[in-house]
Amino acid sequence: MGKTATANRDWTQIYAIYGMDQWQTLVFLSLHAALFSLMSVLFLVYFDPICTRFEAFLSSPAGARFAAGFTGSVTAISAVCLFYAAGNFFYSAVPLHHEMAHRMVGAVGDWSMVRSALDLGCGRGILLNAVATQLKKTGSSGRVVGLAQGKTTALSTLRTAKMEGVQEYVTCREGDVRSLPFPDNYFDVVTSAVFVHTVGKEHGARTYVRRLQELRMEDIRVSERVTAFMVSSHIVTFRKPDQHVLGIGEVRLDWRC
């Protein structure tokens, strides 16, 4: 785990700022991993008595030893898998998101020209603050708006922005991503992390790029696969068309961002 490659930040510093959502999941995985580890050790230490127990249900001693060995092996493998899942969850919860946020920010060529940016579903502000940090580094006078689902989330995001030292570049607003409270062509850059997929399930993960093509988006790029929370993830970047050409049977494309 150590330090993230892009921001050179120790993961303990990142957790100190952003904390952890769904910590109950980490505790659940860790406790079960410890339980299965203990059970596998007991199988190893008391293998012969356990085989004797199995013989009460199986007529063959060889079959009883095989059943006991198989059960112990499955228990040990389960413990390893649970420890891996707990470690993956711990790393994915903040450090990986922090690293991916800076990779997403790096996809924009020149932040000094950005006057206004939007982060959809800003959450704890990991991506939002990465954008604000980049604006600060380039000396831009731009601002980034975080769209939050509630007042509590917005206040929490503003607190993390202050801890990151970028509060002057950040504002938050409550709203629904499906009905943005902004006029058309208001933002130069729009970002989103682990959020857009929750409002576009009807298109499916495999057809997301195709949907962007149907909407006439340009420069569509999909990064290599990144494993997070035991699932495959990708960074998708694209650009709005510079011009909307109307032809026979075509509909003008209008976006609220």
Side-chain angles (χ1 to χ4, degrees):
M1 296 177 188
K3 295 183 178 180
T4 56
T6 52
N8 197 30
R9 297 277 297 281
D10 189 89
W11 62 266
T12 56
Q13 296 175 319
I14 302 172
Y15 271 110
I17 295 174
Y18 298 101
M20 170 181 276
D21 286 341
Q22 300 177 345
W23 59 268
Q24 298 92 338
T25 301
L26 179 62
V27 173
F28 175 85
L29 291 172
S30 300
L31 288 178
H32 279 74
L35 176 62
F36 274 79
S37 297
L38 177 62
M39 291 173 60
S40 62
V41 171
L42 292 176
F43 262 93
L44 182 62
V45 174
Y46 299 102
F47 184 74
D48 289 335
I50 291 175
C51 288
T52 303
R53 292 286 185 178
F54 272 91
E55 287 183 16
F57 303 96
L58 301 173
S59 57
S60 171
R65 293 184 67 86
F66 173 81
F70 179 79
T71 303
S73 299
V74 171
T75 303
I77 293 173
S78 298
V80 172
C81 291
L82 285 167
F83 273 121
Y84 175 77
N88 183 271
F89 185 89
F90 182 78
Y91 178 57
S92 299
V94 177
L96 180 60
H97 286 181
H98 190 268
E99 180 180 351
M100 297 299 289
H102 283 271
R103 288 182 57 184
M104 293 172 68
V105 167
V108 177
D110 187 4
W111 280 97
S112 64
M113 302 299 293
V114 175
R115 293 293 174 265
S116 58
L118 172 66
D119 183 29
L120 297 173
C122 57
R124 290 168 289 176
I126 297 176
L127 178 55
L128 179 77
N129 293 334
V131 172
T133 299
Q134 193 64 26
L135 291 173
K136 184 177 181 179
K137 286 181 178 180
T138 58
S140 172
S141 59
R143 297 291 184 270
V144 55
V145 179
L147 189 67
Q149 292 181 313
K151 184 177 181 180
T152 302
T153 301
L155 292 175
S156 176
T157 303
L158 292 175
R159 282 194 293 268
T160 62
K162 184 177 181 180
M163 296 175 70
E164 290 280 21
V166 293
Q167 64 271 23
E168 67 272 21
Y169 292 88
V170 173
T171 60
C172 285
R173 182 168 178 176
E174 296 179 61
D176 189 340
V177 68
R178 291 161 294 191
S179 181
L180 297 179
F182 307 102
D184 294 344
N185 301 313
Y186 189 83
F187 296 101
D188 301 314
V189 173
V190 178
T191 62
S192 180
V194 295
F195 179 76
V196 171
H197 66 284
T198 63
V199 294
K201 293 180 179 179
E202 65 273 15
H203 303 303
R206 296 181 180 273
T207 61
Y208 192 76
V209 172
R210 186 183 306 171
R211 178 59 177 165
L212 292 174
Q213 293 171 340
E214 292 174 355
L215 292 172
R216 307 292 181 86
M217 296 295 104
E218 299 177 353
D219 295 338
I220 302 172
R221 300 179 184 180
V222 181
S223 74
E224 70 276 11
R225 185 177 66 179
V226 177
T227 301
F229 296 115
M230 310 298 289
V231 297
S232 176
S233 303
H234 301 269
I235 295 177
V236 180
T237 60
F238 58 93
R239 181 171 55 84
K240 288 173 58 177
D242 293 329
Q243 296 179 346
H244 304 292
V245 180
L246 293 177
I248 299 177
E250 293 183 347
V251 180
R252 183 179 180 87
L253 176 64
D254 290 319
W255 278 71
R256 292 182 174 274
C257 57

